[in-house]
Amino acid sequence: MADTLVRLAWITCAVPFAVAALVALFGRRLGRLASIPSLLSPLVVLGVGIAGVLAWFDSGAVAGTWLVESSARWLSFAGAPGMNVGFAVDGMTALMLVVVGFVASMVMIFSIGYMSEDEGFNRYYALLSLFTGSMSLLVIADGLLGLFMGWELVGACSYLLIGFWYHKPSAAAAAIKAFLTTRVGDVGLLLGIALLWNATHTLGYRELLGAGVHGMDTAALTTAALLLFVGAAGKSAQFPLHIWLPDAMEGPTPVSALIHAATMVAAGVFLIARTWPLFEAAPAARMVILAIGAFTALAAATIAVAQTDIKKVLAYSTISQLGFMFAALGAGAWVVALFHLVTHAAFKALLFLGSGSVIHGTGTQDMREMGGLSKSMPYTAVTWFIGAAALAGVPPLAGFFSKDEVVRAVWEAQPVAAVALLLASLLTAFYITRATRLTFFGTYRGHHHAHEGGWSMRAPLIALAVPAALMGFAAGPIARLLGEHGESLDPVIASISVLVAVSGIAAGWLVYRDGAAAEVAMEGRMGALWPVLRGAYGFDALVSRGIIVPVVASATALYRYVDRIVIDGAAEGVAWLARKSGSGLRRVQYGDAQWYTALLGSGMVILFVLTLIGPQLTRWLSVLNWFAAGR
């Protein structure tokens, strides 16, 4: 049965696309029932993913083994060689389909309650189905061509969902910012794909990552790897292309859980892991990835410490945790990076949906207007505590195991980067404890009656809490699924990680024991540093002044002086000349036969004279040329 489902992997794209079209066309007739066919999309993806996992273990497959693959020739007309595009399933693909399908299912169920009063309910579910199919296409593609198609589709879905409430100027601006920033990365990805095609004449994983990589020289390999990393950094919000993700929180909160925490932003990590033989052969590129990943992890964690918007705390936390994954990739531990991707998908989706429950129950995103919600929202509080502890790295929850392996792998490759990750872990435990105290403890400071959501919102929180708590024990099976052997915990690194987590939690608990008053006190004690952290080091302003303003000024100048004066002037000048010429000729053509006869006669006389004096003119011109030549 599992083998049959794996061979139908193409339905993970076909069904969601068909459902998206159905809901888009007939959504108004379906009403709130639009969520029912939409839920079929992630369930199909989840089913095929589970079937793939079972088939992998049942077959005893090893690394590099495709359970099934199918492709067709594309663009092979008129003598062109064309290229293959199709789908393929192996252990990594099956694992990613499980992650996408499970998280998307929880988000769609949660959204039934969260979005029930929204007038764009049907459009919302159509976009979620479209995204689910697009992400599945990205995952099951058998080469970089199919991956790029899915890559661009998920980017388009992200744009549409960030700007879902397009009537809000902030949402529209955030959508445009996300679209343009990620396009910078996509240009790098496209150039990298073009370079690989030019060097190997194939984009299929099997050929490209085998003989194709071994046939390329070191410089080409490094360049291609760095270009692919630029694409990955844009999609996965790594420095300096991280600026779009915090603003993406303008979209509905369940969207943040699905796209901007668990699946789409992890596509960059998946891209590098999928093409690992290329990066394995490019150590210089891996060092760049390690440095940027470690820097992003630490910098984003410092910014999260000062945020007051609960979603922005989680947004910068996501950027930081993605930095951990890239640091692991740079250290050569791609299996560890994927393991952290899986655990992070569980506990970060849980935290985002938990924040959505809080926002739905209080009507605010500002943690200074919350407090005491553990009493009025017990389900949300308990599941949040599990997700927060997993993020902080408290054993034996999922985050402890995956972060420990990341730190160990980076320590073996570059100890300085590992120290940066430990500092980021300390800050992570601190800021998630701060958010927990401000939100769930103390007295309620809001203006709305805080209340728990219905079971459509509670059930996904409970379901996500299970893998957030237990997924760490699946490290061995996940490693085997990826064709590697799992490793036991390093006692020294594990002890340091626990000490770091406990220290961060204790510091956050003590510093914020007075709730919102402690936040005011922190602003006073930290002085000018606190606004700098809250403003993300002013990087947005720097980008605006250093890139946006000069580009806009240059475009304005080109419009005024080149487009309007030169280009428009030339076009308008031709039109003016034609009008004037026509006006002059119109005066000649006024229907007088005698005038026409006079013109005809004058023309004949002029031609006769030119015929007579032509030879003389030629002779005189020859003489002039002779003198001009200095003879």
Side-chain angles (χ1 to χ4, degrees):
M1 179 62 178
D3 184 62
T4 301
L5 282 176
V6 170
R7 294 187 182 282
L8 295 176
W10 56 270
I11 68 173
T12 61
C13 301
V15 171
F17 289 156
V19 170
L22 173 68
V23 175
L25 293 173
F26 303 105
R28 291 189 178 182
R29 295 183 181 180
L30 292 172
R32 292 297 182 263
L33 295 176
S35 59
I36 296 177
S38 297
L39 189 57
L40 180 64
S41 301
L43 291 178
V44 167
V45 174
L46 178 60
V48 172
I50 293 174
V53 171
L54 295 176
W56 177 269
F57 286 114
D58 183 62
S59 65
V62 296
T65 300
W66 296 102
L67 294 172
V68 62
E69 55 182 324
S70 177
S71 63
R73 206 70 177 165
W74 189 52
L75 296 178
S76 58
F77 55 86
M83 56 188 72
N84 288 337
V85 59
F87 71 91
V89 177
D90 65 350
M92 187 189 305
T93 299
L95 179 64
M96 288 298 297
L97 288 177
V98 171
V99 172
V100 173
F102 180 67
V103 175
S105 300
M106 296 302 102
V107 167
M108 287 195 181
I109 295 172
F110 185 90
S111 298
I112 294 173
Y114 190 87
M115 299 292 291
S116 60
E117 302 300 323
D118 197 285
E119 60 182 12
F121 187 85
N122 302 320
R123 176 166 55 92
Y124 174 81
Y125 272 95
L127 290 173
L128 285 187
S129 293
L130 180 62
F131 170 81
T132 304
S134 302
M135 190 68 196
S136 297
L137 173 61
L138 186 156
V139 169
I140 71 169
D142 69 339
L144 289 174
L145 178 61
L147 178 140
F148 188 74
M149 293 177 182
W151 189 277
E152 292 304 304
L153 280 172
V154 295
C157 292
S158 176
Y159 167 77
L160 293 171
L161 285 165
I162 293 171
F164 180 77
W165 291 313
Y166 54 85
H167 55 277
K168 293 172 55 180
S170 57
I176 294 172
K177 183 177 182 179
F179 185 82
L180 293 179
T181 305
T182 54
R183 290 293 75 71
V184 174
D186 292 356
V187 170
L189 174 59
L190 186 59
L191 290 174
I193 292 174
L195 176 59
L196 290 171
W197 169 260
N198 183 64
T200 65
H201 302 292
T202 181
L203 294 178
Y205 294 137
R206 180 184 292 278
E207 301 84 6
L208 175 64
L209 303 178
V213 166
H214 297 301
M216 295 176 64
D217 61 74
T218 303
L221 278 171
T222 302
T223 303
L226 288 173
L227 287 171
L228 293 188
F229 170 63
V230 171
K235 195 70 78 183
S236 295
Q238 295 298 283
F239 178 85
L241 300 178
H242 65 286
I243 57 175
W244 67 270
L245 186 56
D247 293 86
M249 299 303 108
E250 288 289 340
T253 304
V255 168
S256 302
L258 176 63
I259 298 182
H260 306 126
T263 55
M264 189 197 82
V265 292
V269 179
F270 172 78
L271 168 64
I272 295 178
R274 180 83 281 176
T275 57
W276 183 248
L278 171 64
F279 288 87
E280 189 175 31
R286 292 205 311 273
M287 288 303 298
V288 173
I289 295 172
L290 174 58
I292 291 180
F295 176 79
T296 302
L298 180 57
T302 61
I303 296 170
V305 165
Q307 301 303 307
T308 56
D309 184 323
I310 190 170
K311 288 180 66 176
K312 286 204 171 182
V313 171
L314 298 179
Y316 282 107
S317 174
T318 298
I319 296 172
S320 179
Q321 294 304 305
L322 289 166
F324 274 79
M325 299 175 208
F326 276 95
L329 291 169
W334 66 273
V335 174
V336 172
L338 284 180
F339 178 40
H340 193 50
L341 183 156
V342 174
T343 61
H344 176 263
F347 62 71
K348 189 54 65 66
L350 172 60
L351 289 172
F352 263 109
L353 290 186
S355 71
S357 180
V358 168
I359 295 167
H360 183 269
T362 62
T364 182
Q365 296 181 193
D366 194 330
M367 295 185 296
R368 294 170 296 186
E369 299 176 4
M370 299 177 186
L373 297 181
S374 59
K375 299 175 183 178
S376 55
M377 305 179 68
Y379 288 93
T380 301
V382 172
T383 52
W384 173 279
F385 297 157
I386 294 173
L391 172 61
V394 175
L397 303 181
F400 164 73
F401 291 95
S402 58
K403 287 173 69 174
D404 177 82
E405 292 197 21
V406 169
V407 172
R408 180 177 62 177
V410 175
W411 179 269
E412 293 173 354
Q414 181 53 257
V416 174
V419 171
L421 294 185
L422 287 172
L423 289 175
S425 297
L426 178 69
L427 292 171
T428 299
F430 178 84
Y431 68 64
I432 198 61
T433 304
R434 166 182 176 264
T436 302
R437 288 222 65 163
L438 288 175
T439 303
F440 292 99
F441 293 92
T443 57
Y444 182 56
R445 300 175 296 275
H447 307 291
H448 293 76
H449 172 66
H451 60 281
E452 191 84 74
W455 277 105
S456 66
M457 296 173 65
R458 299 179 199 179
L461 295 177
I462 296 170
L464 282 166
V466 175
L470 303 177
M471 186 62 72
F473 296 104
I478 289 176
R480 289 195 296 274
L481 185 64
L482 298 173
E484 299 288 336
H485 297 289
E487 298 183 13
S488 58
L489 290 174
D490 184 307
V492 176
I493 297 295
S495 300
I496 295 174
S497 297
V498 172
L499 179 61
V500 166
V502 171
S503 300
I505 292 171
W509 191 263
L510 292 174
V511 170
Y512 283 89
R513 61 184 179 276
D514 296 327
E519 180 67 17
V520 176
M522 279 292 289
E523 292 179 0
R525 284 197 296 266
M526 300 300 289
L529 178 60
W530 211 241
V532 170
L533 294 178
R534 189 166 292 170
Y537 297 106
F539 194 75
D540 272 8
L542 180 63
V543 171
S544 178
R545 294 173 185 172
I547 299 177
I548 306 301
V549 172
V551 168
V552 171
S554 300
T556 302
L558 288 172
Y559 171 73
R560 289 178 179 174
Y561 302 112
V562 177
D563 188 55
R564 289 296 301 148
I565 295 177
V566 178
I567 298 176
D568 286 358
E572 292 170 0
V574 170
W576 177 86
L577 181 62
R579 283 199 309 271
K580 290 297 183 182
S581 300
S583 178
L585 291 174
R586 185 174 65 245
R587 296 174 182 174
V588 175
Q589 300 288 341
Y590 57 86
D592 190 338
Q594 292 181 347
W595 171 247
Y596 295 158
T597 302
L599 288 176
L600 179 61
S602 300
M604 292 178 65
V605 170
I606 292 171
L607 288 174
F608 179 73
V609 170
L610 289 175
T611 302
L612 291 177
I613 66 173
Q616 299 298 325
L617 287 174
T618 303
R619 189 176 297 111
W620 279 105
L621 289 174
S622 299
V623 173
L624 290 174
N625 287 333
W626 186 80
F627 278 109
R631 298 184 180 182

